[in-house]
Amino acid sequence: MAMTVKERVENVASELTASERKLASALLADYPYAGLVSIQELAKRAEVSAPSITRFVAKIGLGGYQEFQRDLLLELKEGEKSPVELQDRGGRPAGGYLSDFIGRATALMADSAQAITEDQFARICKLLSDPQRSIYALGGRASNTIAFQLSFHLRQARKDVFHLPSDVETWPEYLLRMRSGDALFIADFRRYQTDLERLAEKASARGVRIVLMTDKWLSPVARHAAEVLAVPIESGTLWDTYTPALAVIEAIVTRIAEDNWEQTRTRIRAWDEVRIKERDSDK
Amino acid sequence: MAMTVKERVENVASELTASERKLASALLADYPYAGLVSIQELAKRAEVSAPSITRFVAKIGLGGYQEFQRDLLLELKEGEKSPVELQDRGGRPAGGYLSDFIGRATALMADSAQAITEDQFARICKLLSDPQRSIYALGGRASNTIAFQLSFHLRQARKDVFHLPSDVETWPEYLLRMRSGDALFIADFRRYQTDLERLAEKASARGVRIVLMTDKWLSPVARHAAEVLAVPIESGTLWDTYTPALAVIEAIVTRIAEDNWEQTRTRIRAWDEVRIKERDSDK
DNA sequence: GCATCTAAGAAAATATTTTTTCAGTCAAGA
DNA sequence: TCTTGACTGAAAAAATATTTTCTTAGATGC
């Protein structure tokens, strides 16, 4: 599938029949959108019959109209990404490595604001700040640090925040402690961990509301989740970045801290005092 | 068709059910392409049933899945033509809390590319990838997670990476192990921890090269550091964000992984194998 | 002018997709 | 604890899309 549809058409251009040429013109005139409608509509627009299209598609070496459309769609998706997004948005194309990387991350982050509605954001903040519920959090191997950022800051704003250790052995203990209505925050990006799905399943069975942060391919945990935060991350590539995920998490904890400012301040102060006392007693 | 599909989704966001929200996330995470596949495929990807999609489409005020796809296609076609409009639509200036927050973070991140020269970046990458040296890392209370991101990924690309525990008591042990020429990565943002400065001082005395990541007010650790990465962070405010710091760290580890790709791949594979074996023996 | 062949569309057959119906499940409230 | 109501997905039904078959029209060579 190294060939684009357009290339395929050009390759066979010389051996096309009259109506096939008509079709090719119509397709190339509004490429690739013309090919993304139903075969009948395309037939009408190109003023040929549907069977001619089927034959045409076979002629350019594709298995059928569906495959043809799938290919066009993939091209479209790819095309959008590389030339436009990577160069245009990322700023200096000839910049250095660092500014290049940061350019990409910046673009992705801007996207993440789009991918999550304010409504969902508000709902999740409300859920995680509800003092009636206990909050449990954890993440996958690489994303655990991100999840930890959430529990760390959340702990400053409210009580009953628990971060599950990575060690699977300890999970049952936490599971038993979870009560219906509690919330479990899970960050899981590719490559997904089956451990997490099992955990989610059991927690979900106990009536725990699961908030999942994942990438666009959706972790299997999504099956059990009440809320899915899908952040746009080029997860799985060497060019990974978790910055959009971090930004969303920071937005959540900041919002919660703001809304419960009095309480947060009190908690931080109390916490500081304990820390200072401990240190003094060390001396 | 004055409304885009995305707008429609946002309009009804508050009255969506659990699986509809899941669907909305999946759609927005890969908008609009996610919606251009068959209803069944979308159902599979979003982990909901096809009927739920039909109901969802009706809920956002469209006549059916076909109409939904037609609209998405039209948007795509339009959007391609005028990038200006796309930008206009996307970045609501009067957006909500989340987009506001992300907007700030994005701006800060763009700045951070400016604040660090490519030269310094390259120097640090070289230092941290040098197999002759051992690498030690840690961070302050809040920034430890960020530092951890560095040691976690660095560990995949090379040997001899150690993350110091938060517990001060254990530090002397690590200090004694450090040798002249080793590198110590410290992340320290306001409010600074005096612990860290003492650690830096002792390490520095042993000939350890210290790389400091801090904010523009410069942690006291800077005194002993060979390299200071000052990332623009509104540290100390309620509106904190570590995203620029994370971006820089990710850029560093990505660069190092790329430069030592063969080795990194080998290490990751070996690592995976051990993990899988462990899991198997659990059974 | 006739036979023959290719190409194209109509219609039928097939495959696929979309929608509706319906029964089970789960959470919230009495 | 029980009831109620809303949500959900499995399965069936309906609609639609795609492909195949078959017939006709037109071109070409004899």
Side-chain angles (χ1 to χ4, degrees):
Chain A
M1 218 284 289
M3 247 192 288
T4 67
V5 172
K6 193 187 266 181
E7 283 164 357
R8 286 171 184 277
V9 173
E10 277 154 10
N11 282 346
V12 297
S14 55
E15 38 194 294
L16 290 180
T17 68
S19 60
E20 283 167 351
R21 278 197 299 274
K22 232 168 30 174
L23 176 55
S25 303
L27 177 60
L28 296 180
D30 188 21
Y31 187 86
Y33 301 101
L36 292 172
V37 298
S38 79
I39 199 171
Q40 308 198 19
E41 187 144 336
L42 177 56
K44 210 166 59 186
R45 286 206 225 165
E47 312 227 292
V48 300
S49 68
S52 294
I53 298 180
T54 297
R55 287 187 282 259
F56 176 83
V57 169
K59 208 173 207 169
I60 63 174
L62 294 174
Y65 196 72
Q66 290 177 220
E67 190 176 327
F68 168 78
Q69 287 199 322
R70 196 179 52 83
D71 278 15
L72 284 177
L73 217 47
L74 279 175
E75 280 177 32
L76 194 57
K77 199 166 161 182
E78 286 311 305
E80 183 109 325
K81 278 242 171 74
S82 2
V84 182
E85 204 169 42
L86 296 191
Q87 279 206 354
D88 223 31
R89 279 199 193 161
R92 280 134 300 178
Y97 192 95
L98 178 66
S99 61
D100 201 38
F101 188 98
I102 289 184
R104 292 180 202 231
T106 307
L108 273 177
M109 224 161 82
D111 282 352
S112 68
Q114 305 270 307
I116 297 165
T117 65
E118 292 292 337
D119 210 72
Q120 181 177 37
F121 176 74
R123 218 168 38 238
I124 290 174
C125 288
K126 196 172 147 208
L127 179 70
L128 293 180
S129 63
D130 184 345
Q132 303 289 313
R133 311 172 192 272
S134 291
I135 309 292
Y136 297 84
L138 86 167
R141 253 187 321 288
S143 47
N144 196 37
T145 54
I146 298 291
F148 190 75
Q149 198 75 6
L150 179 100
S151 47
F152 179 85
H153 281 112
L154 206 53
R155 195 172 291 127
Q156 306 197 327
R158 55 162 295 161
K159 62 180 172 61
D160 297 335
V161 177
F162 308 99
H163 195 93
L164 274 65
S166 304
D167 183 5
V168 185
E169 303 298 321
T170 65
W171 291 355
E173 187 189 326
Y174 286 89
L175 262 172
L176 288 173
R177 222 191 294 161
M178 293 181 195
R179 306 164 58 101
S180 178
D182 285 355
L184 170 60
F185 180 94
I186 299 182
D188 189 26
F189 297 93
R190 288 219 292 202
R191 300 135 50 202
Y192 309 119
Q193 285 173 254
T194 49
D195 295 346
L196 290 178
E197 196 202 338
R198 284 201 294 271
L199 175 69
E201 187 182 353
K202 287 183 187 129
S204 170
R206 293 181 67 90
V208 172
R209 298 182 59 84
I210 294 177
V211 179
L212 169 69
M213 172 170 268
T214 184
D215 49 43
K216 67 178 170 191
W217 294 279
L218 296 197
S219 146
V221 172
R223 213 184 312 259
H224 313 288
E227 299 281 354
V228 177
L229 282 166
V231 294
I233 274 186
E234 295 294 327
S235 173
T237 71
L238 199 53
W239 279 84
D240 265 21
T241 176
Y242 287 112
T243 48
L246 180 62
V248 171
I249 282 185
E250 287 178 338
I252 291 172
V253 295
T254 305
R255 174 60 178 270
I256 291 176
E258 261 181 30
D259 285 353
N260 306 281
W261 180 229
E262 274 311 316
Q263 194 187 340
T264 303
R265 195 170 52 187
T266 313
R267 285 182 63 85
I268 291 180
R269 279 191 186 146
W271 205 55
D272 276 0
E273 255 167 41
V274 174
R275 262 218 336 278
I276 289 162
K277 269 184 201 148
E278 263 175 15
R279 183 174 307 154
D280 288 349
S281 69
D282 273 1
K283 284 178 187 169
Chain B
M1 219 282 290
M3 245 193 288
T4 67
V5 171
K6 192 187 272 179
E7 283 164 354
R8 286 173 185 275
V9 173
E10 275 156 14
N11 283 345
V12 298
S14 55
E15 38 197 288
L16 291 180
T17 68
S19 59
E20 285 167 348
R21 285 197 297 270
K22 230 160 41 169
L23 177 57
S25 296
L27 177 61
L28 295 180
D30 190 20
Y31 187 86
Y33 302 100
L36 291 174
V37 297
S38 80
I39 200 171
Q40 306 198 18
E41 188 146 336
L42 177 57
K44 210 166 61 186
R45 285 206 225 166
E47 309 231 296
V48 300
S49 67
S52 294
I53 297 179
T54 298
R55 289 187 281 258
F56 175 83
V57 169
K59 209 173 207 171
I60 62 175
L62 295 174
Y65 195 72
Q66 291 177 219
E67 191 177 326
F68 167 79
Q69 288 199 322
R70 196 180 50 84
D71 278 14
L72 283 178
L73 218 46
L74 280 174
E75 279 177 33
L76 196 57
K77 203 166 157 182
E78 286 308 307
E80 186 109 322
K81 284 207 179 106
S82 57
V84 184
E85 202 183 8
L86 260 183
Q87 272 205 347
D88 253 15
R89 276 192 195 160
R92 267 146 301 176
Y97 192 97
L98 179 66
S99 60
D100 203 39
F101 187 98
I102 290 183
R104 292 180 202 230
T106 306
L108 272 176
M109 223 160 82
D111 284 352
S112 67
Q114 308 274 306
I116 296 165
T117 66
E118 291 291 338
D119 214 63
Q120 181 179 35
F121 176 75
R123 223 164 38 232
I124 290 173
C125 287
K126 199 173 145 205
L127 178 68
L128 294 180
S129 63
D130 184 345
Q132 302 290 312
R133 312 171 192 272
S134 291
I135 309 293
Y136 297 85
L138 86 168
R141 251 187 325 287
S143 47
N144 195 38
T145 54
I146 299 291
F148 189 75
Q149 198 75 5
L150 179 100
S151 46
F152 179 85
H153 281 114
L154 207 53
R155 194 171 292 128
Q156 306 198 325
R158 53 161 296 158
K159 60 182 173 62
D160 297 335
V161 177
F162 307 99
H163 195 93
L164 275 65
S166 304
D167 183 4
V168 186
E169 303 297 322
T170 65
W171 290 357
E173 186 189 327
Y174 286 90
L175 261 171
L176 288 174
R177 223 192 294 162
M178 292 181 197
R179 307 163 58 102
S180 178
D182 285 355
L184 171 60
F185 179 93
I186 299 182
D188 189 27
F189 297 94
R190 287 216 296 201
R191 302 135 49 201
Y192 309 119
Q193 285 173 254
T194 49
D195 297 346
L196 290 178
E197 195 202 342
R198 285 202 294 273
L199 175 70
E201 188 182 353
K202 286 181 187 132
S204 170
R206 294 179 67 90
V208 172
R209 297 181 60 83
I210 294 177
V211 179
L212 169 69
M213 171 170 269
T214 184
D215 50 41
K216 65 180 171 189
W217 295 278
L218 294 197
S219 145
V221 173
R223 210 183 321 247
H224 312 289
E227 299 282 355
V228 177
L229 283 165
V231 293
I233 274 185
E234 297 292 328
S235 173
T237 70
L238 200 53
W239 279 84
D240 264 22
T241 176
Y242 286 111
T243 48
L246 180 61
V248 171
I249 282 183
E250 287 177 337
I252 291 172
V253 295
T254 304
R255 174 59 177 272
I256 291 176
E258 258 180 33
D259 285 354
N260 306 281
W261 181 229
E262 274 310 317
Q263 192 185 339
T264 303
R265 196 172 49 186
T266 311
R267 286 183 62 87
I268 292 180
R269 279 192 186 147
W271 205 56
D272 275 359
E273 256 169 40
V274 173
R275 260 215 340 276
I276 288 161
K277 271 184 201 148
E278 263 174 16
R279 184 174 307 155
D280 287 349
S281 68
D282 274 2
K283 285 177 188 170

